[in-house]
Amino acid sequence: MIQPVGHLDFYPNGGFDQPGCNSHLGKLTGGIMSALALDYEGFRREVGCSHVRSIVYFTESIEATACRFMAYPCASIGNFMAGKCLSCSGGSCPQMGFNADQFRGANGSYYLRTSAVSPFCSYHYSVALSTGQSISGKGTIHLKIVAASGTIDDVQFNSDDMDFKSHSTYSIFVPSSKDLGAAQSVTVKFQKINSWFTGWFYPDNVEIDFVTVIRGESQQQ
């Protein structure tokens, strides 16, 4: 069910296929193979994986001590994945699962990401790049985020060649299975579009004025 129905509606990973579970086609194929083999547990695991995760998430939220399944208010999963919704102004970020009843003043739809394997609780970072006054560049950007307690290597900022315009801000959401603490530095690598037809039109580099990293759980910037 995707429609909001309660005071607090949580949408882990957008509320659809969960990380570590097969896609709809994979579920169908795996379910048929398990059914033919009379493997009930395999059938349940393949077809109901994403549904069963709700039980697992709740169970882990009871046992959680550090990572608390914090969720963030947002208008859509698209905006959330773009890193636009990690603000918890006014204490508006409830915890999904066992501790949800501690946030009686909150109301609305809340999004969060989980890991593909247990423990499923993830930490949330958003990265925003603000370009300078150079002419537009087209290509892909990769990031390396160095934080207080670890590093997130080779974060692909955009999957397809993107036209990075001057004096603009672009953002993404970056999950982490470990609490790495506050970000300390970010390395930005730009790869120009690889096309003999249009590549000559774009510069080899993109000017980045500044990079902003927000750690959702602590709201550190």
Side-chain angles (χ1 to χ4, degrees), residues 107-216:
N107 192 299
S109 299
Y110 299 87
Y111 293 83
L112 68 158
R113 282 291 300 272
T114 68
S115 299
V117 296
S118 181
F120 291 102
C121 188
S122 286
Y123 295 88
H124 302 73
Y125 293 83
S126 70
V127 181
L129 303 178
S130 296
T131 58
Q133 62 182 0
S134 62
I135 63 174
S136 300
K138 190 169 187 177
T140 57
I141 284 180
H142 291 257
L143 308 173
K144 178 180 179 180
I145 304 172
V146 177
S149 301
T151 301
I152 306 176
D153 288 306
D154 197 25
V155 176
Q156 192 166 353
F157 192 85
N158 55 301
S159 57
D160 299 316
D161 287 321
M162 180 185 292
D163 192 358
F164 292 93
K165 300 183 182 300
S166 60
H167 297 297
S168 300
T169 299
Y170 303 89
S171 60
I172 62 166
F173 163 77
V174 181
S176 173
S177 60
K178 298 180 180 179
D179 183 7
L180 302 179
Q184 297 180 332
S185 66
V186 179
T187 302
V188 181
K189 181 180 179 181
F190 174 72
Q191 183 174 344
K192 178 183 174 182
I193 180 175
N194 184 21
S195 170
W196 65 269
F197 183 68
T198 59
W200 62 271
F201 181 76
Y202 294 97
D204 293 331
N205 300 294
V206 170
E207 181 181 339
I208 304 294
D209 273 357
F210 57 90
V211 180
T212 303
V213 181
I214 297 176
R215 179 175 178 260

Side-chain angles (χ1 to χ4, degrees), residues 62-83:
I62 297 174
E63 304 168 345
T65 56
C67 190
R68 297 296 185 93
F69 288 95
M70 184 177 288
Y72 303 85
C74 200
S76 69
I77 184 60
N79 286 341
F80 179 72
M81 293 303 294

